[in-house]
Amino acid sequence: MHENSYYYGGGQGIGRVATQYLLTHGYRVAIWEADTDALAELKEAFKASSAQILFISCDVSSDVNVKKAAEQTISHFGQIDALINNAAIMIEKPLDKLTLDEWNRVISTNLTGAFLCAKHTAVYLAAQKGSIINMCSTRAFQSEPDTFAYSASKGGLLALTHSLAVSLGPDVRVNAISPGWIDVSALKKKARAKSDDLQPEDHSQHPAGRVGQADDIARMILFLIAPENSFITGQNFVVDGGMTRKMIYV
């Protein structure tokens, strides 16, 4: 019986690797992160790039926090070219064990957080003809047991993506990425980092022949925010090594 919770933002998992890719490709990056331990570790890891990165303690479910973070980012960098909504909580519990507070916490971070970040950066993004990337999930299409709030939040995020695209276009492009099984076990903060012991069958069930890596998602982020791809908006890109083939048989 699963009773686990996971949190990912800019300081862990896909967000951490995406930060590295963005810095490497000449972007300046503002990290809005609620986990103070993860934020401190990120500061240490990226201290050599301190001129290109801004660390902000921010709970994206808070309207006040997000508004302040947007203002701090503009004050520091002068512009916002892209928003990547990656903050997420997943709580795995049986339906009769999941509390309303836990449900609300997941929805507030995963879905409301994306809404608030878009709301408070839209005017800055429009000035730059910028881009929003919503980190969705294949859980929006095919759930695993006991992921009620997480799956619902990702389904809502997919709908929000298209709504934002048609509302903010043509000045702002909005797309979603839906990762499948991405191994981020070693990319968590030190207290929780532990590489999963992946087996051959874990890799072989993917048509691509392997479990995904955070780099696979980071490269898609770079592709979607590139100005050269300005005709792509309102779309969802599944990056799961072919696992969604299962949907054909549902």
Side-chain angles (χ1 to χ4, degrees), residues 68-128:
K68 183 178 179 182
E71 291 171 347
Q72 285 180 274
T73 302
I74 285 295
S75 176
H76 189 82
F77 288 132
Q79 64 191 68
I80 298 177
D81 299 273
L83 166 67
I84 302 167
N85 283 316
N86 184 64
I89 297 173
M90 180 166 68
I91 297 176
E92 295 181 61
K93 282 190 175 182
L95 187 59
D96 61 341
K97 301 293 185 183
L98 185 69
T99 68
L100 179 59
D101 283 346
E102 289 170 329
W103 168 275
N104 286 336
R105 184 157 62 94
V106 173
I107 298 297
S108 293
T109 297
N110 301 9
L111 182 55
T112 305
F115 157 73
L116 290 174
C117 289
K119 175 182 178 180
H120 289 297
T121 60
V123 65
Y124 308 123
L125 290 165
Q128 300 302 126

Side-chain angles (χ1 to χ4, degrees), residues 231-246:
F231 197 57
I232 302 173
T233 192
Q235 305 302 310
N236 175 55
F237 295 84
V238 176
V239 184
D240 74 342
M243 286 290 284
T244 46
R245 73 194 188 284
K246 293 180 178 178

Side-chain angles (χ1 to χ4, degrees), residues 4-7 88-92 106 110 139 144 147 150:
N4 300 311
S5 63
Y6 309 91
Y7 174 86
I89 297 173
M90 180 166 68
I91 297 176
E92 295 181 61
V106 173
N110 301 9
R139 296 288 75 78
E144 292 180 319
T147 61
Y150 183 83

Side-chain angles (χ1 to χ4, degrees), residues 164-221:
L164 287 170
V166 298
S167 301
L168 300 180
D171 293 328
V172 181
R173 296 183 296 112
V174 188
N175 290 290
I177 300 174
S178 288
W181 185 351
I182 305 297
D183 180 22
V184 295
S185 57
L187 297 171
K188 301 174 185 177
K189 61 183 181 180
K190 292 176 182 178
R192 298 189 61 180
K194 184 180 179 181
S195 296
D196 284 343
D197 183 19
L198 297 175
Q199 301 300 309
E201 53 267 27
D202 295 324
H203 297 288
S204 64
Q205 66 180 295
H206 294 75
R210 64 174 175 85
V211 172
Q213 301 174 347
D215 302 65
D216 297 313
I217 308 303
R219 285 189 289 268
M220 178 58 81
I221 290 172

Side-chain angles (χ1 to χ4, degrees), residues 16-17 19-20 23 41-51 53 55:
R16 180 173 180 141
V17 172
T19 295
Q20 181 64 68
L23 290 170
E41 291 177 15
L42 199 68
K43 285 182 180 180
E44 179 63 24
F46 289 104
K47 61 184 178 181
S49 303
S50 59
I53 191 166
F55 302 94

